[in-house]
CSV table of all heavy atoms in Angstrom, one decimal:
chain,number,residue,atom,x,y,z
A,825,ALA,N,164.4,202.4,357.6
A,825,ALA,CA,165.4,203.4,357.9
A,825,ALA,C,165.1,204.1,359.3
A,825,ALA,O,166.0,204.4,360.1
A,825,ALA,CB,165.5,204.4,356.8
A,826,GLY,N,163.8,204.3,359.6
A,826,GLY,CA,163.5,204.9,360.8
A,826,GLY,C,163.8,204.0,362.0
A,826,GLY,O,164.2,204.5,363.1
A,827,ALA,N,163.6,202.7,361.8
A,827,ALA,CA,163.9,201.8,362.9
A,827,ALA,C,165.4,201.7,363.2
A,827,ALA,O,165.8,201.7,364.3
A,827,ALA,CB,163.4,200.4,362.5
A,828,ILE,N,166.2,201.7,362.1
A,828,ILE,CA,167.7,201.7,362.3
A,828,ILE,C,168.1,203.0,363.0
A,828,ILE,O,169.0,203.0,363.9
A,828,ILE,CB,168.3,201.5,360.9
A,828,ILE,CG1,168.1,200.1,360.5
A,828,ILE,CG2,169.8,201.8,361.0
A,828,ILE,CD1,168.5,199.8,359.0
A,829,PHE,N,167.6,204.2,362.5
A,829,PHE,CA,167.9,205.4,363.1
A,829,PHE,C,167.5,205.5,364.6
A,829,PHE,O,168.3,206.0,365.5
A,829,PHE,CB,167.3,206.6,362.4
A,829,PHE,CG,167.6,207.9,362.9
A,829,PHE,CD1,168.9,208.4,362.8
A,829,PHE,CD2,166.7,208.7,363.5
A,829,PHE,CE1,169.3,209.7,363.3
A,829,PHE,CE2,167.0,210.0,364.0
A,829,PHE,CZ,168.3,210.4,363.9
A,830,ALA,N,166.3,205.0,365.0
A,830,ALA,CA,165.9,204.9,366.4
A,830,ALA,C,166.8,204.1,367.2
A,830,ALA,O,167.1,204.4,368.3
A,830,ALA,CB,164.5,204.4,366.4
A,831,SER,N,167.3,202.9,366.7
A,831,SER,CA,168.2,202.1,367.4
A,831,SER,C,169.5,202.8,367.6
A,831,SER,O,170.2,202.6,368.7
A,831,SER,CB,168.4,200.7,366.7
A,831,SER,OG,169.0,200.9,365.5
A,832,PHE,N,170.0,203.5,366.6
A,832,PHE,CA,171.2,204.3,366.8
A,832,PHE,C,171.1,205.3,367.9
A,832,PHE,O,171.9,205.5,368.7
A,832,PHE,CB,171.6,205.0,365.4
A,832,PHE,CG,172.7,206.0,365.6
A,832,PHE,CD1,174.0,205.6,365.6
A,832,PHE,CD2,172.4,207.4,365.6
A,832,PHE,CE1,175.0,206.5,365.8
A,832,PHE,CE2,173.4,208.3,365.7
A,832,PHE,CZ,174.8,207.8,365.8
A,833,LEU,N,170.0,206.0,367.9
A,833,LEU,CA,169.7,207.1,369.0
A,833,LEU,C,169.7,206.4,370.3
A,833,LEU,O,170.2,207.0,371.3
A,833,LEU,CB,168.4,207.8,368.7
A,833,LEU,CG,168.5,208.8,367.6
A,833,LEU,CD1,167.1,209.5,367.5
A,833,LEU,CD2,169.5,209.9,367.8
A,834,TYR,N,169.1,205.2,370.4
A,834,TYR,CA,169.0,204.6,371.7
A,834,TYR,C,170.4,204.2,372.2
A,834,TYR,O,170.8,204.3,373.4
A,834,TYR,CB,168.1,203.3,371.7
A,834,TYR,CG,168.1,202.6,373.0
A,834,TYR,CD1,167.3,203.1,374.0
A,834,TYR,CD2,168.8,201.5,373.2
A,834,TYR,CE1,167.3,202.5,375.3
A,834,TYR,CE2,168.8,200.9,374.5
A,834,TYR,CZ,168.0,201.4,375.5
A,834,TYR,OH,168.0,200.8,376.7
A,835,VAL,N,171.3,203.7,371.3
A,835,VAL,CA,172.6,203.3,371.6
A,835,VAL,C,173.4,204.5,372.1
A,835,VAL,O,174.2,204.4,373.1
A,835,VAL,CB,173.3,202.6,370.4
A,835,VAL,CG1,174.8,202.4,370.7
A,835,VAL,CG2,172.7,201.3,370.2
A,836,VAL,N,173.2,205.7,371.5
A,836,VAL,CA,173.9,206.9,371.9
A,836,VAL,C,173.4,207.3,373.3
A,836,VAL,O,174.2,207.7,374.1
A,836,VAL,CB,173.6,208.0,370.9
A,836,VAL,CG1,174.1,209.4,371.4
A,836,VAL,CG2,174.4,207.7,369.6
A,837,TYR,N,172.1,207.1,373.5
A,837,TYR,CA,171.5,207.5,374.8
A,837,TYR,C,171.9,206.6,375.9
A,837,TYR,O,172.4,207.0,377.0
A,837,TYR,CB,170.0,207.5,374.7
A,837,TYR,CG,169.3,207.7,376.0
A,837,TYR,CD1,169.3,209.0,376.7
A,837,TYR,CD2,168.7,206.7,376.7
A,837,TYR,CE1,168.7,209.2,377.9
A,837,TYR,CE2,168.0,206.9,377.9
A,837,TYR,CZ,168.1,208.1,378.5
A,837,TYR,OH,167.5,208.3,379.7
A,838,ALA,N,171.8,205.3,375.7
A,838,ALA,CA,172.0,204.3,376.8
A,838,ALA,C,173.4,203.6,376.7
A,838,ALA,O,173.7,202.9,377.7
A,838,ALA,CB,170.9,203.3,376.8
A,839,GLY,N,174.1,203.7,375.7
A,839,GLY,CA,175.3,203.0,375.5
A,839,GLY,C,175.0,201.6,375.0
A,839,GLY,O,173.9,201.1,374.9
A,840,GLY,N,176.0,200.9,374.6
A,840,GLY,CA,175.8,199.5,374.1
A,840,GLY,C,176.4,199.4,372.7
A,840,GLY,O,177.4,200.1,372.3
A,841,THR,N,175.9,198.4,371.9
A,841,THR,CA,176.4,198.2,370.6
A,841,THR,C,175.3,198.4,369.6
A,841,THR,O,174.1,198.2,369.8
A,841,THR,CB,177.0,196.7,370.5
A,841,THR,OG1,175.9,195.8,370.8
A,841,THR,CG2,178.1,196.5,371.5
A,842,LEU,N,175.7,198.7,368.4
A,842,LEU,CA,174.9,198.8,367.2
A,842,LEU,C,175.4,197.9,366.1
A,842,LEU,O,176.6,198.2,365.7
A,842,LEU,CB,174.8,200.3,366.7
A,842,LEU,CG,173.8,200.5,365.6
A,842,LEU,CD1,172.4,200.3,366.0
A,842,LEU,CD2,174.0,201.9,365.0
A,843,PHE,N,174.7,196.9,365.7
A,843,PHE,CA,175.2,195.9,364.7
A,843,PHE,C,176.5,195.3,365.2
A,843,PHE,O,177.4,195.1,364.4
A,843,PHE,CB,175.3,196.5,363.4
A,843,PHE,CG,174.0,197.0,362.8
A,843,PHE,CD1,173.9,198.4,362.5
A,843,PHE,CD2,172.9,196.2,362.6
A,843,PHE,CE1,172.7,198.9,362.0
A,843,PHE,CE2,171.8,196.7,362.1
A,843,PHE,CZ,171.6,198.0,361.8
A,844,GLY,N,176.7,195.1,366.5
A,844,GLY,CA,177.9,194.4,367.0
A,844,GLY,C,179.1,195.4,367.2
A,844,GLY,O,180.1,194.9,367.6
A,845,LYS,N,178.9,196.6,366.9
A,845,LYS,CA,180.0,197.6,367.1
A,845,LYS,C,179.7,198.6,368.2
A,845,LYS,O,178.6,199.1,368.3
A,845,LYS,CB,180.2,198.4,365.8
A,845,LYS,CG,180.4,197.6,364.5
A,845,LYS,CD,181.8,197.0,364.6
A,845,LYS,CE,182.1,196.3,363.3
A,845,LYS,NZ,183.3,195.6,363.2
A,846,THR,N,180.7,198.9,369.0
A,846,THR,CA,180.5,199.9,370.0
A,846,THR,C,180.8,201.3,369.4
A,846,THR,O,181.8,201.4,368.7
A,846,THR,CB,181.5,199.7,371.2
A,846,THR,OG1,181.3,198.3,371.7
A,846,THR,CG2,181.4,200.7,372.3
A,847,LEU,N,179.9,202.2,369.7
A,847,LEU,CA,180.0,203.5,369.1
A,847,LEU,C,181.0,204.4,369.9
A,847,LEU,O,181.1,204.2,371.1
A,847,LEU,CB,178.7,204.2,369.0
A,847,LEU,CG,177.6,203.5,368.2
A,847,LEU,CD1,176.3,204.3,368.3
A,847,LEU,CD2,178.1,203.4,366.8
A,848,PRO,N,181.8,205.3,369.3
A,848,PRO,CA,182.7,206.1,370.0
A,848,PRO,C,182.0,207.2,370.8
A,848,PRO,O,182.7,207.9,371.5
A,848,PRO,CB,183.6,206.7,368.9
A,848,PRO,CG,182.7,206.7,367.7
A,848,PRO,CD,181.8,205.5,367.8
A,849,ILE,N,180.7,207.4,370.7
A,849,ILE,CA,180.0,208.4,371.4
A,849,ILE,C,179.0,207.7,372.4
A,849,ILE,O,178.6,206.5,372.1
A,849,ILE,CB,179.2,209.4,370.5
A,849,ILE,CG1,178.3,208.6,369.6
A,849,ILE,CG2,180.2,210.2,369.7
A,849,ILE,CD1,177.5,209.5,368.7
Side-chain angles (χ1 to χ4, degrees):
I828 292 169
F829 182 68
S831 65
F832 171 78
L833 285 180
Y834 180 77
V835 169
V836 170
Y837 172 72
T841 60
L842 182 69
F843 300 119
K845 304 286 184 186
T846 302
L847 299 178
I849 56 176

